[in-house]
Amino acid sequence: MLLNEKAFSLELGRYLLAIPIVIVLWLWRQRQRRAFPPGPPARFIIGNILQVSPLGAWFKFCQYKEQYGDLLFFHGLGNHVLVLNSMKAINDLLDKRSGIYSNRPTFTVVSELMGLSQSMPLLPYGEEWRAHRRLAHTALSPAAVKRYHGVQEDLAALLCQRLLQSPEDFFNHVRLIAGNVILSVVYGLPVETAEDEYIAHAERTMQVISEATVPGAYLCDLMPFLKHLPSWVPFQREASTGREMIERLVSKPYEHVKREMDAGRAPPSMTQDLLSVRINDMQDIEQRIKWTAGAMYGAGGETTYSTVLVFIMAMALHPDKQRRAQQELDSVVGTGRFPSISDRAHLPYVNAVIKETMRWHPVLPLSIARMSAQDDLYNGYYIPKGTIVIPNVWAVALDCPQGTEFIPERFLGDDAPIDPATWAFGFAKRICPGKYLGENSVFILITTLLAMFDIMPDPSEDLRPNFTLNLVSYPHPFKCRIQPRSEAHAQMMLLRASNYSA
């Protein structure tokens, strides 16, 4: 009996000794299973989240990619940020796991304090977002946007007429026409009214929004409790001004359409189409229509404007590419008429120039951030719920041979890189509903400029690519020469302008 007790005690001792080892092994395995993706070294409490400036962060992310790979993780102050540096990682998470990665981060300043949480681009993924999305798709589907081809073509011709009169002011002309396209389509506003009353305000408002929707732009976004600070704190004053600007941006053109409809003189527009469908809960629908239209108005003009300016810079730097595109246009369209959107399918090299323009300098280098709705594991790495996920489309755009060079021919071969249209307008369920309208605007503006003008460097300036570092990145002011390709082209532009005015 004593021997049995002794043996039992020895066995029990072995089990007791094994328990700490088992616990240590279990904890080690759990830690391995919940390892964060790689990232720069972190400090106590603040982690590594303050190591990258919000301005031009895509450059630093690409440098880190060489060291850490497709996934780049930042954390600290209770926040987690995951940067996706490849199209594979973007597709695997934002597309294949869209149920987890379709939310937007809560930008405390712009969403809560400025009141932009009602706008579709920043709405949480859910029923309200779906309702806005259905409205936008109804008005801007591939079939629906065909009705706006004539407006877009007329405004492209108007851009030519203005460049003919004052080519040195091309920045301003492109800016106004890009804004006019959106205001004409979304609200049916005529050119003069749009320019005098709306476009400048829209630009100022979008500048405020762009600066506020870069993750980390405000310390309040990292530490939301700061939103309760008094109104005299600088970011609170900025938020108050932003709220007033956004409310005017969304409400003023919308109320204009309603007044014109009541008077029976509203021209065709996206807003008029949506308001014409009367249903029982019209009050709720009107609020959604107002904010859906406002989202299209606010974002659409700036990205088109930026893309066309990048194109002008590229042509001034690469006259050989310009000549080849013009030769194709002369062969397909001829020299006796303006191009039309229906010509798009027959102009492979012109389309390659447009794709290369979008790839060479993406105007949304970090797209718009997402947020994970639950804990997730990817490639053995742990991604906590609430992680801000940033698609680094800049890294995707440059992931091809001679990525920093402007080479449209790369899109003509069998080994062409990823079409920029797959990442320039967002991803998966949150792809921009204005994609088809935006593609048509960019096509007709660029194609018309190619058909009518020669774009050359200004001999007084050493032109070098130089771009802003905000959410929407566009060229800093530069000089170039824009002149009609011939006297016949100049006369054709004047004739088209007179017809438009009549």
Side-chain angles (χ1 to χ4, degrees), residues 87 90 355-365 367-368 391-394 396-398 411 417-427 431 435:
M87 198 66 197
I90 291 171
K355 290 177 182 179
E356 183 67 349
T357 297
M358 297 169 68
R359 186 211 63 81
W360 185 56
H361 186 85
V363 298
L364 279 171
S367 190
I368 302 178
N392 185 6
V393 299
W394 182 268
V396 174
L398 266 64
F411 286 101
I418 300 169
D419 188 336
T422 62
W423 45 254
F425 297 92
F427 304 95
I431 194 167
K435 175 178 184 290

PDB file of all heavy atoms in Angstrom, residues 87 90 355-365 367-368 391-394 396-398 411 417-427 431 435:
ATOM      1  N   MET A  87      -1.527  43.926 -54.999  1.00  0.00           N
ATOM      2  CA  MET A  87      -2.880  43.665 -55.472  1.00  0.00           C
ATOM      3  C   MET A  87      -3.398  42.343 -54.928  1.00  0.00           C
ATOM      4  O   MET A  87      -4.598  42.203 -54.668  1.00  0.00           O
ATOM      5  CB  MET A  87      -2.899  43.648 -57.006  1.00  0.00           C
ATOM      6  CG  MET A  87      -4.279  43.827 -57.598  1.00  0.00           C
ATOM      7  SD  MET A  87      -4.945  45.483 -57.256  1.00  0.00           S
ATOM      8  CE  MET A  87      -6.684  45.213 -57.598  1.00  0.00           C
ATOM      9  N   ILE A  90      -4.685  43.044 -51.484  1.00  0.00           N
ATOM     10  CA  ILE A  90      -5.914  43.840 -51.608  1.00  0.00           C
ATOM     11  C   ILE A  90      -7.082  42.954 -52.016  1.00  0.00           C
ATOM     12  O   ILE A  90      -8.173  43.020 -51.430  1.00  0.00           O
ATOM     13  CB  ILE A  90      -5.704  44.979 -52.620  1.00  0.00           C
ATOM     14  CG1 ILE A  90      -4.727  46.017 -52.053  1.00  0.00           C
ATOM     15  CG2 ILE A  90      -7.032  45.647 -52.968  1.00  0.00           C
ATOM     16  CD1 ILE A  90      -4.281  47.072 -53.050  1.00  0.00           C
ATOM     17  N   LYS A 355      -4.736  54.946 -69.707  1.00  0.00           N
ATOM     18  CA  LYS A 355      -4.391  53.996 -68.644  1.00  0.00           C
ATOM     19  C   LYS A 355      -3.028  54.319 -68.043  1.00  0.00           C
ATOM     20  O   LYS A 355      -2.842  54.257 -66.816  1.00  0.00           O
ATOM     21  CB  LYS A 355      -4.398  52.572 -69.200  1.00  0.00           C
ATOM     22  CG  LYS A 355      -5.779  52.045 -69.551  1.00  0.00           C
ATOM     23  CD  LYS A 355      -5.699  50.644 -70.167  1.00  0.00           C
ATOM     24  CE  LYS A 355      -7.070  50.144 -70.565  1.00  0.00           C
ATOM     25  NZ  LYS A 355      -7.020  48.790 -71.178  1.00  0.00           N
ATOM     26  N   GLU A 356      -2.067  54.650 -68.903  1.00  0.00           N
ATOM     27  CA  GLU A 356      -0.735  54.956 -68.401  1.00  0.00           C
ATOM     28  C   GLU A 356      -0.739  56.256 -67.597  1.00  0.00           C
ATOM     29  O   GLU A 356       0.008  56.387 -66.614  1.00  0.00           O
ATOM     30  CB  GLU A 356       0.258  55.032 -69.558  1.00  0.00           C
ATOM     31  CG  GLU A 356       1.701  55.283 -69.150  1.00  0.00           C
ATOM     32  CD  GLU A 356       2.343  54.133 -68.384  1.00  0.00           C
ATOM     33  OE1 GLU A 356       1.643  53.187 -67.965  1.00  0.00           O
ATOM     34  OE2 GLU A 356       3.575  54.194 -68.193  1.00  0.00           O
ATOM     35  N   THR A 357      -1.570  57.206 -67.984  1.00  0.00           N
ATOM     36  CA  THR A 357      -1.712  58.432 -67.199  1.00  0.00           C
ATOM     37  C   THR A 357      -2.188  58.111 -65.792  1.00  0.00           C
ATOM     38  O   THR A 357      -1.651  58.616 -64.801  1.00  0.00           O
ATOM     39  CB  THR A 357      -2.709  59.392 -67.877  1.00  0.00           C
ATOM     40  OG1 THR A 357      -2.199  59.789 -69.151  1.00  0.00           O
ATOM     41  CG2 THR A 357      -2.965  60.623 -67.025  1.00  0.00           C
ATOM     42  N   MET A 358      -3.185  57.244 -65.686  1.00  0.00           N
ATOM     43  CA  MET A 358      -3.724  56.867 -64.384  1.00  0.00           C
ATOM     44  C   MET A 358      -2.722  56.047 -63.578  1.00  0.00           C
ATOM     45  O   MET A 358      -2.668  56.166 -62.346  1.00  0.00           O
ATOM     46  CB  MET A 358      -5.020  56.088 -64.581  1.00  0.00           C
ATOM     47  CG  MET A 358      -6.124  56.905 -65.244  1.00  0.00           C
ATOM     48  SD  MET A 358      -7.534  55.887 -65.771  1.00  0.00           S
ATOM     49  CE  MET A 358      -8.197  55.388 -64.180  1.00  0.00           C
ATOM     50  N   ARG A 359      -1.925  55.231 -64.254  1.00  0.00           N
ATOM     51  CA  ARG A 359      -0.943  54.398 -63.551  1.00  0.00           C
ATOM     52  C   ARG A 359       0.287  55.185 -63.142  1.00  0.00           C
ATOM     53  O   ARG A 359       0.828  55.010 -62.051  1.00  0.00           O
ATOM     54  CB  ARG A 359      -0.506  53.232 -64.471  1.00  0.00           C
ATOM     55  CG  ARG A 359       0.399  52.214 -63.776  1.00  0.00           C
ATOM     56  CD  ARG A 359       1.370  51.574 -64.756  1.00  0.00           C
ATOM     57  NE  ARG A 359       2.306  52.528 -65.343  1.00  0.00           N
ATOM     58  CZ  ARG A 359       3.412  52.956 -64.726  1.00  0.00           C
ATOM     59  NH1 ARG A 359       3.726  52.530 -63.505  1.00  0.00           N
ATOM     60  NH2 ARG A 359       4.218  53.839 -65.318  1.00  0.00           N
ATOM     61  N   TRP A 360       0.744  56.069 -64.030  1.00  0.00           N
ATOM     62  CA  TRP A 360       1.988  56.812 -63.815  1.00  0.00           C
ATOM     63  C   TRP A 360       1.928  57.656 -62.543  1.00  0.00           C
ATOM     64  O   TRP A 360       2.883  57.731 -61.784  1.00  0.00           O
ATOM     65  CB  TRP A 360       2.246  57.689 -65.034  1.00  0.00           C
ATOM     66  CG  TRP A 360       3.533  58.442 -65.040  1.00  0.00           C
ATOM     67  CD1 TRP A 360       4.797  57.932 -64.920  1.00  0.00           C
ATOM     68  CD2 TRP A 360       3.686  59.862 -65.195  1.00  0.00           C
ATOM     69  NE1 TRP A 360       5.723  58.939 -65.000  1.00  0.00           N
ATOM     70  CE2 TRP A 360       5.067  60.131 -65.170  1.00  0.00           C
ATOM     71  CE3 TRP A 360       2.784  60.916 -65.383  1.00  0.00           C
ATOM     72  CZ2 TRP A 360       5.572  61.424 -65.298  1.00  0.00           C
ATOM     73  CZ3 TRP A 360       3.284  62.201 -65.522  1.00  0.00           C
ATOM     74  CH2 TRP A 360       4.666  62.442 -65.480  1.00  0.00           C
ATOM     75  N   HIS A 361       0.773  58.278 -62.328  1.00  0.00           N
ATOM     76  CA  HIS A 361       0.575  58.998 -61.066  1.00  0.00           C
ATOM     77  C   HIS A 361      -0.875  58.836 -60.617  1.00  0.00           C
ATOM     78  O   HIS A 361      -1.748  59.617 -61.015  1.00  0.00           O
ATOM     79  CB  HIS A 361       0.918  60.487 -61.188  1.00  0.00           C
ATOM     80  CG  HIS A 361       0.851  61.184 -59.866  1.00  0.00           C
ATOM     81  ND1 HIS A 361       1.900  61.203 -58.984  1.00  0.00           N
ATOM     82  CD2 HIS A 361      -0.169  61.840 -59.248  1.00  0.00           C
ATOM     83  CE1 HIS A 361       1.550  61.844 -57.891  1.00  0.00           C
ATOM     84  NE2 HIS A 361       0.297  62.247 -58.020  1.00  0.00           N
ATOM     85  N   PRO A 362      -1.174  57.839 -59.789  1.00  0.00           N
ATOM     86  CA  PRO A 362      -2.538  57.663 -59.284  1.00  0.00           C
ATOM     87  C   PRO A 362      -2.973  58.892 -58.479  1.00  0.00           C
ATOM     88  O   PRO A 362      -2.234  59.354 -57.604  1.00  0.00           O
ATOM     89  CB  PRO A 362      -2.421  56.431 -58.376  1.00  0.00           C
ATOM     90  CG  PRO A 362      -1.177  55.731 -58.805  1.00  0.00           C
ATOM     91  CD  PRO A 362      -0.256  56.799 -59.289  1.00  0.00           C
ATOM     92  N   VAL A 363      -4.138  59.410 -58.777  1.00  0.00           N
ATOM     93  CA  VAL A 363      -4.572  60.629 -58.090  1.00  0.00           C
ATOM     94  C   VAL A 363      -5.097  60.334 -56.684  1.00  0.00           C
ATOM     95  O   VAL A 363      -5.224  61.249 -55.862  1.00  0.00           O
ATOM     96  CB  VAL A 363      -5.637  61.390 -58.913  1.00  0.00           C
ATOM     97  CG1 VAL A 363      -5.052  61.830 -60.245  1.00  0.00           C
ATOM     98  CG2 VAL A 363      -6.888  60.562 -59.121  1.00  0.00           C
ATOM     99  N   LEU A 364      -5.413  59.071 -56.398  1.00  0.00           N
ATOM    100  CA  LEU A 364      -5.737  58.640 -55.034  1.00  0.00           C
ATOM    101  C   LEU A 364      -4.716  57.580 -54.628  1.00  0.00           C
ATOM    102  O   LEU A 364      -5.008  56.381 -54.639  1.00  0.00           O
ATOM    103  CB  LEU A 364      -7.156  58.067 -54.965  1.00  0.00           C
ATOM    104  CG  LEU A 364      -8.307  59.055 -54.863  1.00  0.00           C
ATOM    105  CD1 LEU A 364      -9.639  58.332 -55.037  1.00  0.00           C
ATOM    106  CD2 LEU A 364      -8.290  59.805 -53.531  1.00  0.00           C
ATOM    107  N   PRO A 365      -3.515  57.979 -54.256  1.00  0.00           N
ATOM    108  CA  PRO A 365      -2.434  56.999 -54.060  1.00  0.00           C
ATOM    109  C   PRO A 365      -2.706  55.967 -52.978  1.00  0.00           C
ATOM    110  O   PRO A 365      -2.183  54.856 -53.031  1.00  0.00           O
ATOM    111  CB  PRO A 365      -1.234  57.877 -53.679  1.00  0.00           C
ATOM    112  CG  PRO A 365      -1.564  59.240 -54.200  1.00  0.00           C
ATOM    113  CD  PRO A 365      -3.037  59.360 -54.089  1.00  0.00           C
ATOM    114  N   SER A 367      -6.030  55.277 -52.033  1.00  0.00           N
ATOM    115  CA  SER A 367      -7.456  55.009 -52.131  1.00  0.00           C
ATOM    116  C   SER A 367      -8.168  55.652 -50.940  1.00  0.00           C
ATOM    117  O   SER A 367      -7.797  56.738 -50.507  1.00  0.00           O
ATOM    118  CB  SER A 367      -7.702  53.497 -52.202  1.00  0.00           C
ATOM    119  OG  SER A 367      -9.037  53.213 -52.534  1.00  0.00           O
ATOM    120  N   ILE A 368      -9.193  55.014 -50.406  1.00  0.00           N
ATOM    121  CA  ILE A 368      -9.862  55.460 -49.184  1.00  0.00           C
ATOM    122  C   ILE A 368      -9.856  54.285 -48.215  1.00  0.00           C
ATOM    123  O   ILE A 368     -10.208  53.159 -48.587  1.00  0.00           O
ATOM    124  CB  ILE A 368     -11.298  55.943 -49.446  1.00  0.00           C
ATOM    125  CG1 ILE A 368     -11.283  57.094 -50.461  1.00  0.00           C
ATOM    126  CG2 ILE A 368     -11.960  56.401 -48.154  1.00  0.00           C
ATOM    127  CD1 ILE A 368     -12.659  57.618 -50.824  1.00  0.00           C
ATOM    128  N   PRO A 391      -5.302  50.442 -48.652  1.00  0.00           N
ATOM    129  CA  PRO A 391      -4.781  49.862 -49.898  1.00  0.00           C
ATOM    130  C   PRO A 391      -3.772  50.826 -50.538  1.00  0.00           C
ATOM    131  O   PRO A 391      -4.143  51.910 -50.970  1.00  0.00           O
ATOM    132  CB  PRO A 391      -6.024  49.697 -50.785  1.00  0.00           C
ATOM    133  CG  PRO A 391      -7.171  50.268 -50.020  1.00  0.00           C
ATOM    134  CD  PRO A 391      -6.643  51.006 -48.843  1.00  0.00           C
ATOM    135  N   ASN A 392      -2.532  50.431 -50.586  1.00  0.00           N
ATOM    136  CA  ASN A 392      -1.491  51.291 -51.162  1.00  0.00           C
ATOM    137  C   ASN A 392      -1.465  51.089 -52.676  1.00  0.00           C
ATOM    138  O   ASN A 392      -0.658  50.338 -53.215  1.00  0.00           O
ATOM    139  CB  ASN A 392      -0.128  50.955 -50.546  1.00  0.00           C
ATOM    140  CG  ASN A 392       0.967  51.907 -51.019  1.00  0.00           C
ATOM    141  OD1 ASN A 392       0.712  52.880 -51.716  1.00  0.00           O
ATOM    142  ND2 ASN A 392       2.205  51.612 -50.637  1.00  0.00           N
ATOM    143  N   VAL A 393      -2.365  51.776 -53.382  1.00  0.00           N
ATOM    144  CA  VAL A 393      -2.443  51.597 -54.835  1.00  0.00           C
ATOM    145  C   VAL A 393      -1.215  52.184 -55.527  1.00  0.00           C
ATOM    146  O   VAL A 393      -0.916  51.823 -56.662  1.00  0.00           O
ATOM    147  CB  VAL A 393      -3.741  52.208 -55.416  1.00  0.00           C
ATOM    148  CG1 VAL A 393      -4.965  51.547 -54.822  1.00  0.00           C
ATOM    149  CG2 VAL A 393      -3.813  53.703 -55.196  1.00  0.00           C
ATOM    150  N   TRP A 394      -0.506  53.071 -54.846  1.00  0.00           N
ATOM    151  CA  TRP A 394       0.746  53.582 -55.409  1.00  0.00           C
ATOM    152  C   TRP A 394       1.722  52.425 -55.630  1.00  0.00           C
ATOM    153  O   TRP A 394       2.377  52.342 -56.668  1.00  0.00           O
ATOM    154  CB  TRP A 394       1.331  54.623 -54.466  1.00  0.00           C
ATOM    155  CG  TRP A 394       2.597  55.245 -54.954  1.00  0.00           C
ATOM    156  CD1 TRP A 394       3.876  54.834 -54.703  1.00  0.00           C
ATOM    157  CD2 TRP A 394       2.721  56.381 -55.818  1.00  0.00           C
ATOM    158  NE1 TRP A 394       4.784  55.642 -55.333  1.00  0.00           N
ATOM    159  CE2 TRP A 394       4.098  56.616 -56.023  1.00  0.00           C
ATOM    160  CE3 TRP A 394       1.802  57.238 -56.409  1.00  0.00           C
ATOM    161  CZ2 TRP A 394       4.566  57.659 -56.810  1.00  0.00           C
ATOM    162  CZ3 TRP A 394       2.274  58.277 -57.191  1.00  0.00           C
ATOM    163  CH2 TRP A 394       3.639  58.475 -57.389  1.00  0.00           C
ATOM    164  N   VAL A 396       0.915  49.306 -56.052  1.00  0.00           N
ATOM    165  CA  VAL A 396       0.364  48.473 -57.129  1.00  0.00           C
ATOM    166  C   VAL A 396       0.692  49.094 -58.488  1.00  0.00           C
ATOM    167  O   VAL A 396       1.090  48.408 -59.434  1.00  0.00           O
ATOM    168  CB  VAL A 396      -1.160  48.324 -56.953  1.00  0.00           C
ATOM    169  CG1 VAL A 396      -1.770  47.587 -58.152  1.00  0.00           C
ATOM    170  CG2 VAL A 396      -1.481  47.581 -55.664  1.00  0.00           C
ATOM    171  N   ALA A 397       0.527  50.412 -58.597  1.00  0.00           N
ATOM    172  CA  ALA A 397       0.746  51.106 -59.867  1.00  0.00           C
ATOM    173  C   ALA A 397       2.198  50.989 -60.329  1.00  0.00           C
ATOM    174  O   ALA A 397       2.474  50.857 -61.530  1.00  0.00           O
ATOM    175  CB  ALA A 397       0.363  52.578 -59.731  1.00  0.00           C
ATOM    176  N   LEU A 398       3.127  51.017 -59.391  1.00  0.00           N
ATOM    177  CA  LEU A 398       4.547  50.983 -59.753  1.00  0.00           C
ATOM    178  C   LEU A 398       5.100  49.571 -59.874  1.00  0.00           C
ATOM    179  O   LEU A 398       6.274  49.388 -60.202  1.00  0.00           O
ATOM    180  CB  LEU A 398       5.370  51.773 -58.730  1.00  0.00           C
ATOM    181  CG  LEU A 398       5.623  53.245 -59.109  1.00  0.00           C
ATOM    182  CD1 LEU A 398       4.311  54.016 -59.179  1.00  0.00           C
ATOM    183  CD2 LEU A 398       6.572  53.903 -58.128  1.00  0.00           C
ATOM    184  N   PHE A 411       0.510  48.731 -72.145  1.00  0.00           N
ATOM    185  CA  PHE A 411      -0.875  48.255 -72.069  1.00  0.00           C
ATOM    186  C   PHE A 411      -1.364  47.644 -73.382  1.00  0.00           C
ATOM    187  O   PHE A 411      -2.538  47.303 -73.507  1.00  0.00           O
ATOM    188  CB  PHE A 411      -1.803  49.391 -71.640  1.00  0.00           C
ATOM    189  CG  PHE A 411      -1.696  49.743 -70.190  1.00  0.00           C
ATOM    190  CD1 PHE A 411      -0.959  50.848 -69.790  1.00  0.00           C
ATOM    191  CD2 PHE A 411      -2.282  48.950 -69.218  1.00  0.00           C
ATOM    192  CE1 PHE A 411      -0.832  51.176 -68.453  1.00  0.00           C
ATOM    193  CE2 PHE A 411      -2.168  49.262 -67.875  1.00  0.00           C
ATOM    194  CZ  PHE A 411      -1.432  50.370 -67.488  1.00  0.00           C
ATOM    195  N   PRO A 417       0.268  45.272 -67.549  1.00  0.00           N
ATOM    196  CA  PRO A 417       0.034  45.314 -66.100  1.00  0.00           C
ATOM    197  C   PRO A 417      -1.451  45.402 -65.786  1.00  0.00           C
ATOM    198  O   PRO A 417      -2.294  45.470 -66.690  1.00  0.00           O
ATOM    199  CB  PRO A 417       0.778  46.580 -65.661  1.00  0.00           C
ATOM    200  CG  PRO A 417       0.858  47.425 -66.887  1.00  0.00           C
ATOM    201  CD  PRO A 417       0.911  46.482 -68.056  1.00  0.00           C
ATOM    202  N   ILE A 418      -1.764  45.418 -64.514  1.00  0.00           N
ATOM    203  CA  ILE A 418      -3.158  45.507 -64.083  1.00  0.00           C
ATOM    204  C   ILE A 418      -3.773  46.811 -64.602  1.00  0.00           C
ATOM    205  O   ILE A 418      -3.174  47.881 -64.484  1.00  0.00           O
ATOM    206  CB  ILE A 418      -3.237  45.466 -62.548  1.00  0.00           C
ATOM    207  CG1 ILE A 418      -2.642  44.165 -62.019  1.00  0.00           C
ATOM    208  CG2 ILE A 418      -4.670  45.622 -62.067  1.00  0.00           C
ATOM    209  CD1 ILE A 418      -2.442  44.153 -60.513  1.00  0.00           C
ATOM    210  N   ASP A 419      -4.956  46.711 -65.182  1.00  0.00           N
ATOM    211  CA  ASP A 419      -5.667  47.890 -65.676  1.00  0.00           C
ATOM    212  C   ASP A 419      -5.952  48.825 -64.495  1.00  0.00           C
ATOM    213  O   ASP A 419      -6.569  48.420 -63.503  1.00  0.00           O
ATOM    214  CB  ASP A 419      -6.983  47.463 -66.331  1.00  0.00           C
ATOM    215  CG  ASP A 419      -7.685  48.615 -67.035  1.00  0.00           C
ATOM    216  OD1 ASP A 419      -7.439  49.787 -66.675  1.00  0.00           O
ATOM    217  OD2 ASP A 419      -8.506  48.354 -67.935  1.00  0.00           O
ATOM    218  N   PRO A 420      -5.517  50.088 -64.570  1.00  0.00           N
ATOM    219  CA  PRO A 420      -5.763  51.012 -63.455  1.00  0.00           C
ATOM    220  C   PRO A 420      -7.232  51.161 -63.086  1.00  0.00           C
ATOM    221  O   PRO A 420      -7.546  51.526 -61.948  1.00  0.00           O
ATOM    222  CB  PRO A 420      -5.189  52.339 -63.966  1.00  0.00           C
ATOM    223  CG  PRO A 420      -4.167  51.946 -64.977  1.00  0.00           C
ATOM    224  CD  PRO A 420      -4.702  50.705 -65.626  1.00  0.00           C
ATOM    225  N   ALA A 421      -8.127  50.883 -64.023  1.00  0.00           N
ATOM    226  CA  ALA A 421      -9.557  50.993 -63.703  1.00  0.00           C
ATOM    227  C   ALA A 421      -9.971  50.017 -62.610  1.00  0.00           C
ATOM    228  O   ALA A 421     -11.010  50.214 -61.963  1.00  0.00           O
ATOM    229  CB  ALA A 421     -10.393  50.747 -64.955  1.00  0.00           C
ATOM    230  N   THR A 422      -9.152  48.957 -62.382  1.00  0.00           N
ATOM    231  CA  THR A 422      -9.497  47.983 -61.346  1.00  0.00           C
ATOM    232  C   THR A 422      -9.167  48.483 -59.944  1.00  0.00           C
ATOM    233  O   THR A 422      -9.643  47.910 -58.966  1.00  0.00           O
ATOM    234  CB  THR A 422      -8.777  46.641 -61.578  1.00  0.00           C
ATOM    235  OG1 THR A 422      -7.351  46.862 -61.493  1.00  0.00           O
ATOM    236  CG2 THR A 422      -9.097  46.066 -62.948  1.00  0.00           C
ATOM    237  N   TRP A 423      -8.335  49.527 -59.845  1.00  0.00           N
ATOM    238  CA  TRP A 423      -8.032  50.050 -58.503  1.00  0.00           C
ATOM    239  C   TRP A 423      -8.254  51.558 -58.360  1.00  0.00           C
ATOM    240  O   TRP A 423      -8.295  52.068 -57.254  1.00  0.00           O
ATOM    241  CB  TRP A 423      -6.597  49.708 -58.092  1.00  0.00           C
ATOM    242  CG  TRP A 423      -5.508  49.921 -59.100  1.00  0.00           C
ATOM    243  CD1 TRP A 423      -4.838  48.965 -59.798  1.00  0.00           C
ATOM    244  CD2 TRP A 423      -4.911  51.169 -59.507  1.00  0.00           C
ATOM    245  NE1 TRP A 423      -3.883  49.524 -60.611  1.00  0.00           N
ATOM    246  CE2 TRP A 423      -3.889  50.874 -60.453  1.00  0.00           C
ATOM    247  CE3 TRP A 423      -5.116  52.490 -59.155  1.00  0.00           C
ATOM    248  CZ2 TRP A 423      -3.118  51.858 -61.056  1.00  0.00           C
ATOM    249  CZ3 TRP A 423      -4.345  53.480 -59.754  1.00  0.00           C
ATOM    250  CH2 TRP A 423      -3.356  53.154 -60.687  1.00  0.00           C
ATOM    251  N   ALA A 424      -8.425  52.273 -59.440  1.00  0.00           N
ATOM    252  CA  ALA A 424      -8.547  53.733 -59.352  1.00  0.00           C
ATOM    253  C   ALA A 424      -9.878  54.184 -58.748  1.00  0.00           C
ATOM    254  O   ALA A 424      -9.972  55.305 -58.225  1.00  0.00           O
ATOM    255  CB  ALA A 424      -8.381  54.356 -60.736  1.00  0.00           C
ATOM    256  N   PHE A 425     -10.904  53.351 -58.808  1.00  0.00           N
ATOM    257  CA  PHE A 425     -12.235  53.738 -58.336  1.00  0.00           C
ATOM    258  C   PHE A 425     -12.645  52.984 -57.073  1.00  0.00           C
ATOM    259  O   PHE A 425     -13.821  52.949 -56.729  1.00  0.00           O
ATOM    260  CB  PHE A 425     -13.265  53.504 -59.441  1.00  0.00           C
ATOM    261  CG  PHE A 425     -13.027  54.343 -60.668  1.00  0.00           C
ATOM    262  CD1 PHE A 425     -12.263  53.846 -61.723  1.00  0.00           C
ATOM    263  CD2 PHE A 425     -13.543  55.625 -60.770  1.00  0.00           C
ATOM    264  CE1 PHE A 425     -12.029  54.616 -62.860  1.00  0.00           C
ATOM    265  CE2 PHE A 425     -13.317  56.401 -61.897  1.00  0.00           C
ATOM    266  CZ  PHE A 425     -12.564  55.897 -62.945  1.00  0.00           C
ATOM    267  N   GLY A 426     -11.677  52.395 -56.370  1.00  0.00           N
ATOM    268  CA  GLY A 426     -12.011  51.630 -55.176  1.00  0.00           C
ATOM    269  C   GLY A 426     -12.091  50.147 -55.469  1.00  0.00           C
ATOM    270  O   GLY A 426     -11.777  49.695 -56.578  1.00  0.00           O
ATOM    271  N   PHE A 427     -12.568  49.396 -54.475  1.00  0.00           N
ATOM    272  CA  PHE A 427     -12.521  47.941 -54.573  1.00  0.00           C
ATOM    273  C   PHE A 427     -13.824  47.294 -54.103  1.00  0.00           C
ATOM    274  O   PHE A 427     -14.494  47.785 -53.202  1.00  0.00           O
ATOM    275  CB  PHE A 427     -11.371  47.384 -53.729  1.00  0.00           C
ATOM    276  CG  PHE A 427     -10.036  47.955 -54.090  1.00  0.00           C
ATOM    277  CD1 PHE A 427      -9.517  49.030 -53.396  1.00  0.00           C
ATOM    278  CD2 PHE A 427      -9.305  47.429 -55.147  1.00  0.00           C
ATOM    279  CE1 PHE A 427      -8.282  49.571 -53.733  1.00  0.00           C
ATOM    280  CE2 PHE A 427      -8.071  47.963 -55.492  1.00  0.00           C
ATOM    281  CZ  PHE A 427      -7.560  49.033 -54.784  1.00  0.00           C
ATOM    282  N   ILE A 431     -16.675  49.985 -54.501  1.00  0.00           N
ATOM    283  CA  ILE A 431     -16.188  50.656 -55.706  1.00  0.00           C
ATOM    284  C   ILE A 431     -17.079  51.857 -55.997  1.00  0.00           C
ATOM    285  O   ILE A 431     -18.292  51.834 -55.746  1.00  0.00           O
ATOM    286  CB  ILE A 431     -16.169  49.669 -56.899  1.00  0.00           C
ATOM    287  CG1 ILE A 431     -15.362  50.244 -58.057  1.00  0.00           C
ATOM    288  CG2 ILE A 431     -17.577  49.303 -57.337  1.00  0.00           C
ATOM    289  CD1 ILE A 431     -15.041  49.219 -59.125  1.00  0.00           C
ATOM    290  N   LYS A 435     -18.096  55.405 -61.347  1.00  0.00           N
ATOM    291  CA  LYS A 435     -16.971  54.913 -62.155  1.00  0.00           C
ATOM    292  C   LYS A 435     -17.203  55.118 -63.651  1.00  0.00           C
ATOM    293  O   LYS A 435     -16.336  55.620 -64.370  1.00  0.00           O
ATOM    294  CB  LYS A 435     -16.737  53.433 -61.851  1.00  0.00           C
ATOM    295  CG  LYS A 435     -15.674  52.744 -62.703  1.00  0.00           C
ATOM    296  CD  LYS A 435     -15.523  51.290 -62.262  1.00  0.00           C
ATOM    297  CE  LYS A 435     -14.409  50.586 -63.022  1.00  0.00           C
ATOM    298  NZ  LYS A 435     -14.740  50.345 -64.426  1.00  0.00           N
TER     299      LYS A 435
END
